[in-house]
C-alpha cells in the first residue's frame, strides 16, 4: 500500500535543476504499488486557471499523471462515454479532485452522479466556501474527502494518496478461456461489470486490493441536479459559523457522522455550541424527521432524573396519578441529546448503561420492559476520564459513550471566526429588536478578537445583543463596547483610532495597500482582517480572489527588491522554484521597471 511518507514527499519548488530527481528515477505512484509502467491518474477539475496550474504541477511532482478539466461537464462527458463503452475502461482515472462552484455543472451534482455510476471511484471535493453545508453535502454525495481552501499542498497530496489506495477488491476473468471471444470481463460484484477488448492496453491489477471502476448501463445517464450548493452567508440553518481550521475539522466530523447511528460524545467548554452540533448531527441524519430531544442533566434534580429519562408507571410514587412516558420514549426513532452527562447521578448511570447495551429499560415502578430505537449524543464540559478516576463516573459507561469523541474548540483559539460570528449575531439581535442591524467599526472588531471570551460563543452572542440595545448610532465604535472588553486592551490596539485612518484613500487602492494604512498600529494580519471586515460589510464577495494576487504581488516585489532583481535568489526567499516565479511574474504582469520603481 502506498503511504505518504518521506519516500513519496513531493519535490520542493526550491530545488534547482541540478538537485532534482533524474527523470528515469522520478517518483511514480501506482495503485497499491502495482508493478505498472503508468502512474496513477488524477482528474483535476477547477475553473480557476492559476490554481489548476499550481495543483497540476504539485501532483505531477508527486508522481501522478494529471488530466485537467476547466469544468465538470467535460469530465462527465468522458465518464459517460466509458459507460456507453465508446471509450475504454482503461481511460478511467484512479481519483478525481473537483471544485464545487463551477459553471454549467457544480461539483456536488457531479460527485453525486459519479457515486451512483462509479461507486468505487474516489472523489475529493475542494471549495473556498468552506461552511458546514458544503462539508455535509460533499460527504452525502459520496465524496472520499473534503478539502476547504486554502489547504496545504502536502496535505492535499497525502489525501490523494489515501484516496488512490482506498480501493475495493476486483476479480478479473478472461472469457478467452471459455470461448473464442477476445474479450475480458472485469467484475467487482454481480451487479457491476464491463467488457473490454483484449487487445487493449490495461493496467496491471493487484487482485488483493484494487479498483472496481464502472457499472454497465444501456443508456446515456445525465447527472442529477437535486444536489445544490447552498452556502449563502445568510442561510445557515444549523447556526454554526466558522472558517478556521479548527471548525473545518468539526465540519468534516459532522459530515462523516451524520448518516451513522453511532454514539457521539461532544466535549468542550460551556458556550462552544455543543447542542448546535448535536442538532446538526440529527438534522442531517436519516432520523431528521423523527424527534430531537435535548435534556440537560445539570438542570434536573437528582431524584427526578430517572423519571425524566425513563418515565414512570401509575402509582409508582406519590403524585404519579397516570403513566408518563420518559424522554427515551419521546425520542424513539430519533435522537436523544444528553447534555452535561458528567452531572448524571451514579445510580442513573447504571440504568443508562443498560439502555445503551440493548435499547431496553423499565419505567420507574413499571413491570414491563420498554424497547426503543434511539441514537444517543452526549456532551460535557468536564473531564470524564478524571471523573472515572475519582469514582464519580462509571468506567464502562464512559467507554459506551466515548465511541466517537468530537471536541469543540474554544472561541479564543479561533479568533479569525469572530468577525463573521459577530456580524451574524448583530443581525439576529436586530431582527429580535425589529431594528436595522448595526455595523461594527474595524477597531471594535479587533478588540473583540483580542478578548479571551471565557463564555465562548454564548458570551459573544450576549455582547452583540447588549450592543444592539445599548450602543447609539448605526456603527458600533470601540468605546461603545461593554466595560469588560475594554479593561485589558492589548498595547498594540488603540480604541480611539480615528475613523478616517481606515477610510482615507481606500477607493482607489488594492487591499494590501489599504492594509498598509494601519501598519503603524497593527500587525499585517490585523490590518488584513480590517480590510476583510470592511469588504464583507460593504457586500463584496470572492474577497480571497481579490486579495491573493495583491498579496503575492507585494511579497514577490519585496523579494525581488531584496535580491537585487535576481530571480533565483528571490524564488528561494519565497520558497518557490524559478519556473513558478517566472509564471507568477507573467500572471501578475510585474515588470523589471515596476520592481525598480518600488525599490526607489
Amino acid at each position: 500500500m502506498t503511504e505518504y511518507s518521506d519516500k513519496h514527499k513531493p519535490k520542493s519548488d526550491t530545488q534547482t535543476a541540478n538537485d532534482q530527481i533524474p527523470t528515469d528515477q522520478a517518483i511514480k505512484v501506482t495503485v497499491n504499488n502495482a508493478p505498472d509502467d503508468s502512474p496513477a491518474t488524477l482528474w483535476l477539475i477547477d475553473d480557476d486557471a492559476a490554481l489548476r496550474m499550481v495543483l497540476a504541477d504539485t501532483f505531477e511532482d508527486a508522481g501522478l499523471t494529471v488530466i485537467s478539466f476547466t469544468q465538470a461537464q467535460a469530465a462527465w462527458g468522458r465518464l459517460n462515454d466509458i459507460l456507453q463503452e465508446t471509450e475504454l475502461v482503461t481511460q478511467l482515472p484512479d481519483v478525481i479532485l473537483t471544485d464545487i462552484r463551477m459553471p454549467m455543472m457544480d461539483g456536488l451534482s457531479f460527485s453525486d452522479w459519479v457515486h451512483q455510476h462509479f461507486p468505487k471511484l474516489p472523489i475529493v471535493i475542494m471549495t473556498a466556501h468552506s461552511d458546514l453545508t458544503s462539508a455535509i453535502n460533499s460527504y452525502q454525495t459520496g465524496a472520499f474527502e473534503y478539502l476547504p481552501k486554502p489547504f496545504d499542498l502536502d496535505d492535499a497530496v497525502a489525501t490523494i494518496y489515501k484516496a488512490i489506495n482506498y480501493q475495493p477488491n476486483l476479480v478479473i476473468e478472461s472469457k478467452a478461456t471459455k470461448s473464442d471471444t477476445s474479450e475480458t470481463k472485469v467484475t467487482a460484484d454481480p451487479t457491476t461489470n464491463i467488457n473490454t477488448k483484449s487487445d487493449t492496453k490495461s493496467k496491471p491489477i493487484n487482485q488483493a486490493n484494487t479498483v472496481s471502476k464502472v457499472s454497465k448501463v444501456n443508456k446515456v445517464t445525465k447527472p442529477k441536479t437535486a444536489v445544490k450548493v447552498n452556502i449563502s452567508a445568510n442561510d445557515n440553518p444549523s447556526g454554526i459559523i466558522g472558517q478556521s481550521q479548527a471548525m473545518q475539522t468539526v465540519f468534516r466530523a459532522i459530515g462523516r457522522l451524520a448518516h451513522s447511528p453511532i454514539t457521539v460524545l461532544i466535549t468542550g467548554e460551556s458556550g462552544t455550541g455543543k447542542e448546535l452540533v448535536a442538532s446538526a448531527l440529527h438534522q442531517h441524519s436519516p432520523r431528521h424527521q423523527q424527534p430531537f430531544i435535548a435534556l440537560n442533566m445539570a438542570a434536573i434534580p437528582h431524584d427526578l432524573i430517572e423519571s425524566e429519562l425513563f418515565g414512570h408507571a401509575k402509582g409508582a410514587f406519590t403524585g404519579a396519578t397516570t403513566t408518563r412516558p420518559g424522554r427515551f420514549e419521546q425520542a424513539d426513532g430519533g435522537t436523544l441529546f444528553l447534555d452535561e452527562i458528567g452531572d448524571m447521578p451514579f445510580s442513573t448511570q447504571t440504568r443508562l448503561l443498560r439502555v445503551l447495551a440493548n435499547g431496553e429499560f423499565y419505567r420507574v415502578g413499571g413491570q414491563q420492559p420498554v424497547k426503543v430505537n434511539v441514537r444517543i449524543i452526549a456532551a460535557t464540559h468536564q473531564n470524564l476520564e478524571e471523573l472515572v478516576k475519582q469514582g464519580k463516573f462509571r468506567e464502562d459507561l464512559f467507554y459506551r459513550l466515548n465511541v466517537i469523541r468530537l471536541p469543540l474548540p474554544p472561541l479564543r483559539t479561533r479568533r479569525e471566526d469572530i468577525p463573521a460570528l459577530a456580524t451574524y449575531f448583530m443581525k439576529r439581535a436586530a431582527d429580535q429588536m425589529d431594528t436595522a442591524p448595526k455595523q461594527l467599526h474595524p477597531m471594535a472588531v479587533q478588540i473583540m478578537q483580542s478578548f479571551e471570551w471565557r463564555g465562548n460563543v454564548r458570551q459573544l452572542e450576549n455582547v452583540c445583543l447588549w450592543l444592539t440595545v445599548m450602543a447609539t448610532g448605526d456603527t458600533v465604535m470601540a468605546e461603545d463596547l461593554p466595560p469588560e472588553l475594554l479593561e485589558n486592551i492589548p498595547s498594540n490596539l488603540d480604541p480611539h483610532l480615528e475613523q478616517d485612518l481606515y477610510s482615507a484613500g481606500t477607493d482607489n487602492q488594492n487591499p494590501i495597500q489599504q492594509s498598509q494604512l494601519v501598519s503603524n498600529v497593527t500587525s499585517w494580519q490585523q490590518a488584513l482582517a480590517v480590510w476583510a471586515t470592511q469588504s464583507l460589510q460593504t457586500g463584496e464577495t470572492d474577497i480571497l480572489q481579490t486579495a491573493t494576487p495583491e498579496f503575492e504581488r507585494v511579497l514577490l516585489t519585496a523579494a525581488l527588491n531584496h535580491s537585487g532583481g535576481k530571480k533565483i535568489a528571490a524564488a528561494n526567499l519565497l520558497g518557490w522554484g524559478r519556473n513558478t516565479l517566472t509564471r507568477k511574474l507573467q500572471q501578475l504582469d510585474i515588470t523589471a521597471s515596476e520592481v525598480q520603481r518600488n525599490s526607489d
Side-chain angles (χ1 to χ4, degrees):
M1 179 175 182
T2 304
E3 295 181 357
Y4 184 59
S5 62
D6 291 339
K7 294 181 181 179
H8 291 289
K9 188 173 182 179
K11 179 177 74 238
S12 171
D13 243 351
T14 60
Q15 288 177 298
T16 63
N18 293 328
D19 60 12
Q20 288 180 358
I21 300 172
T23 303
D24 58 350
Q25 300 179 12
I27 294 172
K28 185 182 296 181
V29 178
T30 60
V31 177
N32 303 302
N33 284 333
D36 188 1
D37 292 337
S38 302
T41 301
L42 163 72
W43 281 12
L44 174 62
I45 309 172
D46 198 307
D47 58 344
D48 185 333
L51 178 61
R52 196 170 61 247
M53 184 183 301
V54 170
L55 290 175
D57 288 346
T58 298
F59 291 120
E60 286 173 353
D61 288 348
L64 302 172
T65 296
V66 180
I67 299 177
S68 298
F69 298 87
T70 59
Q71 53 182 288
Q73 186 80 19
W76 169 79
R78 288 280 301 276
L79 292 174
N80 203 53
D81 287 342
I82 294 173
L83 286 175
Q84 303 310 306
E85 300 183 11
T86 58
E87 280 204 31
L88 300 174
V89 67
T90 53
Q91 299 302 309
L92 275 173
D94 298 293
V95 62
I96 296 177
L97 177 63
T98 179
D99 194 16
I100 287 184
R101 287 193 171 184
M102 292 176 289
M104 298 182 66
M105 180 189 299
D106 65 81
L108 294 179
S109 298
F110 174 74
S111 175
D112 188 44
W113 181 86
V114 172
H115 185 64
Q116 289 185 41
H117 302 286
F118 300 83
K120 311 303 182 182
L121 177 57
I123 293 185
V124 178
I125 290 181
M126 56 183 173
T127 179
H129 305 275
S130 47
D131 59 1
L132 176 60
T133 303
S134 296
I136 290 176
N137 285 346
S138 297
Y139 289 116
Q140 287 181 344
T141 62
F144 173 81
E145 188 54 281
Y146 164 79
L147 285 178
K149 298 177 184 177
F151 48 77
D152 183 83
L153 291 178
D154 284 346
D155 290 342
V157 171
T159 299
I160 294 300
Y161 280 175
K162 291 177 184 177
I164 289 172
N165 288 282
Y166 182 73
Q167 312 291 4
N169 292 335
L170 189 72
V171 177
I172 303 180
E173 178 184 0
S174 175
K175 294 180 66 176
T177 61
K178 296 184 178 181
S179 65
D180 290 335
T181 129
S182 59
E183 294 180 343
T184 300
K185 179 185 289 183
V186 181
T187 61
D189 57 58
T191 62
T192 60
N193 66 82
I194 186 166
N195 296 329
T196 59
K197 301 292 183 181
S198 63
D199 58 355
T200 310
K201 178 184 176 181
S202 62
K203 297 181 181 179
I205 299 178
N206 183 341
Q207 296 186 12
N209 189 18
T210 47
V211 166
S212 162
K213 297 205 170 180
V214 293
S215 299
K216 183 177 179 180
V217 295
N218 297 319
K219 57 185 174 59
V220 175
T221 55
K222 294 187 177 180
K224 285 189 173 183
T225 57
V227 180
K228 298 297 183 183
V229 182
N230 191 359
I231 48 183
S232 170
N234 297 323
D235 187 6
N236 184 24
S238 298
I240 306 176
I241 296 174
Q243 296 290 323
S244 62
Q245 288 300 318
M247 289 308 296
Q248 294 308 314
T249 300
V250 174
F251 291 167
R252 284 195 190 95
I254 295 175
R256 290 188 179 277
L257 292 170
H259 274 250
S260 169
I262 202 166
T263 300
V264 179
L265 176 61
I266 305 172
T267 59
E269 299 177 5
S270 295
T272 50
K274 295 188 287 293
E275 185 170 348
L276 281 178
V277 171
S279 178
L281 286 170
H282 172 76
Q283 290 171 11
H284 297 282
S285 74
R287 301 171 179 260
H288 67 276
Q289 294 183 339
Q290 302 301 319
F292 174 78
I293 304 295
L295 194 62
N296 191 319
M297 297 292 100
I300 305 173
H302 284 192
D303 56 347
L304 296 179
I305 283 185
E306 290 198 14
S307 175
E308 190 72 23
L309 282 172
F310 309 113
H312 60 255
K314 180 179 180 180
F317 50 81
T318 303
T321 57
T322 60
T323 297
R324 178 183 176 274
R327 299 300 188 183
F328 269 99
E329 289 180 79
Q330 294 175 13
D332 190 18
T335 303
L336 179 61
F337 174 54
L338 301 177
D339 199 5
E340 299 303 345
I341 192 71
D343 291 317
M344 177 178 283
F346 202 85
S347 60
T348 309
Q349 294 176 26
T350 305
R351 297 198 62 183
L352 177 60
L353 187 64
R354 177 181 176 84
V355 183
L356 292 175
N358 55 24
E360 189 175 271
F361 63 90
Y362 288 85
R363 298 191 186 99
V364 176
Q367 302 298 319
Q368 297 296 324
V370 180
K371 193 82 172 178
V372 292
N373 175 18
V374 175
R375 183 188 190 183
I376 299 295
I377 299 177
T380 182
H381 73 282
Q382 302 182 66
N383 187 331
L384 291 187
E385 288 96 332
E386 188 61 32
L387 293 181
V388 169
K389 292 178 182 179
Q390 297 172 5
K392 297 179 180 179
F393 200 85
R394 290 184 61 104
E395 185 174 13
D396 47 3
L397 177 59
F398 169 71
Y399 289 118
R400 282 284 185 180
L401 294 172
N402 193 37
V403 180
I404 297 291
R405 182 180 299 201
L406 179 53
L408 300 188
L411 186 57
R412 59 185 173 276
T413 65
R414 55 183 189 107
R415 300 181 190 275
E416 60 268 44
D417 291 336
I418 289 178
L421 284 166
T423 300
Y424 174 78
F425 288 136
M426 292 294 289
K427 183 179 184 305
R428 195 162 77 171
D431 292 340
Q432 293 177 10
M433 300 297 168
D434 196 22
T435 62
K438 296 179 180 180
Q439 304 298 318
L440 291 168
H441 187 274
M443 184 52 64
V445 173
Q446 290 188 48
I447 293 174
M448 295 172 79
Q449 287 182 293
S450 68
F451 189 63
E452 285 302 304
W453 299 108
R454 293 298 175 184
N456 293 294
V457 180
R458 184 182 296 120
Q459 184 182 7
L460 175 61
E461 181 179 11
N462 293 340
V463 166
C464 291
L465 184 60
W466 186 92
L467 290 172
T468 301
V469 176
M470 302 300 294
T472 58
D474 295 332
T475 301
V476 176
M477 309 301 291
E479 55 266 27
D480 294 327
L481 296 175
E484 62 267 23
L485 269 68
L486 299 175
E487 287 178 355
N488 298 302
I489 299 177
S491 58
N492 64 333
L493 294 180
D494 180 6
H496 302 292
L497 194 65
E498 293 297 328
Q499 169 71 31
D500 57 2
L501 181 63
Y502 296 92
S503 58
T506 59
D507 290 341
N508 300 311
Q509 292 175 322
N510 64 51
I512 302 299
Q513 291 171 326
Q514 292 178 30
S515 298
Q516 290 171 344
L517 289 172
V518 291
S519 60
N520 62 323
V521 292
T522 66
S523 67
W524 69 267
Q525 294 98 328
Q526 292 170 326
L528 185 61
V530 170
W531 170 80
T533 301
Q534 288 179 326
S535 300
L536 293 172
Q537 289 178 347
T538 56
E540 293 187 29
T541 58
D542 293 332
I543 61 173
L544 184 63
Q545 302 300 324
T546 302
T548 299
E550 300 300 337
F551 184 80
E552 291 180 342
R553 183 188 301 276
V554 170
L555 293 181
L556 200 159
T557 303
L560 286 170
N561 289 335
H562 185 78
S563 65
K566 298 177 180 178
K567 292 184 179 180
I568 294 180
N572 289 332
L573 291 172
L574 293 169
W576 286 347
R578 170 71 181 268
N579 292 339
T580 301
L581 183 138
T582 301
R583 185 172 67 248
K584 290 292 184 181
L585 287 173
Q586 296 173 347
Q587 290 176 351
L588 299 173
D589 195 24
I590 297 177
T591 61
S593 59
E594 181 180 351
V595 173
Q596 182 63 36
R597 184 172 62 255
N598 290 336
S599 63
D600 295 339

